[in-house]
Amino acid sequence: MNYIGVNGVPTPAAEAVISVMDHGFMYGIGLFETFRTYGGRPFLLERHLGRLRAGCEALGIRLDLVSGASGAGCIRRQIAELLELNGLTEGYIRVTVTAGEGPLGLPSGDYGEPAAIIYVKPLPEPPASLYSAGKPLWRLGTRRNTPEGEVRFKSLHYMNNVLAKRELTRLEREAGASAFAPHNAAPGEGLLLTAEGWLAEGIVSNLFFVQNGKLYTPDIGTGILPGITRAVVLELTVEGGLEREEGFYAWDRLLEADEVFVTNSIQEIVPVTELVSPGIPAVKVGNGRIGPVTQSLLDKYRQKARNFT
């Protein structure tokens, strides 16, 4: 990553800085969105900016950059410039908004001078086997914390996810030499449950499962992030006439599922083919390969992305 966009200015990475008085640094008051490009163009940008805008409004961050068509156009131009400066044709994009400078102490008013930062990096190229053989999903002991407000923000306060990632790394390392280790070689995803024990979401993904031809996903009321790719998948089920339900489910429901998959904006739709609880053998999902419903949704999602470009 040679250049980073700082308040609209492409800046050498070594020179990109924010103030130590920025409340994003001091109190975690800030938001971010991650997404990818297809054909060099950011996919579903307006939706990501819409979620970012809603979060900014809730936090009192006044940032015109994320508002309306002009804001989206400005972001597109900055991304295109940064891709070129970094020598990339496709990219993994992160747009971050921090509250901006403020005094030491919790604020009561709005933030009038936030900072906007755009990062681009090479887009990871997962092996094709990820979308056929899938990955394991580990049940974590780390519980999903409750949202900051009525709906979870994609905020800079990311410690719950970091702790979950550390737990997943430890579990995978400990299982590496264990007879209980899953046979799947793909890096796993960790699943957080709510304090009440309901299925919530992955560390960096939303969760879906299929049982008897019906699609299920945890309700937003569990405190999960309302994912952009999650929303697109739910729209695709309407278009395809697939019955679906959002609700509160226990881990045992996953063990009975015919198919399980996770979604995010970078990896799209990834099948889960093993369910792992620490200390007991992994449970294979279906026949250990991507299932027909997951395959259909992945094909439709990618068709939507291709049509977009």
Side-chain angles (χ1 to χ4, degrees), residues 126-137 172 182-189 260-262 267 269-275 284-285 287-291 294-295 298:
S129 61
L130 177 65
Y131 298 97
S132 56
K135 65 166 60 180
L137 182 68
E172 289 184 317
H183 63 74
N184 195 320
E189 168 67 310
V260 180
F261 63 88
V262 292
Q267 291 193 334
I269 297 171
V270 178
V272 168
T273 49
E274 289 178 316
L275 300 170
K284 183 169 69 173
V285 178
N287 64 1
R289 308 283 291 180
I290 187 171
T294 307
Q295 183 69 69
L298 176 60

Side-chain angles (χ1 to χ4, degrees), residues 62-107:
R62 300 199 300 270
L63 183 69
D64 294 336
L65 185 64
V66 299
S67 299
S70 60
C74 183
I75 293 287
R76 281 196 187 90
R77 289 191 294 273
Q78 290 182 46
I79 289 172
E81 185 176 16
L82 288 167
L83 286 172
E84 182 177 2
L85 287 170
N86 286 286
L88 301 173
T89 55
E90 300 286 8
Y92 174 119
I93 314 297
R94 170 169 163 152
V95 176
T96 299
V97 175
T98 73
E101 292 187 27
L104 187 61
L106 298 181

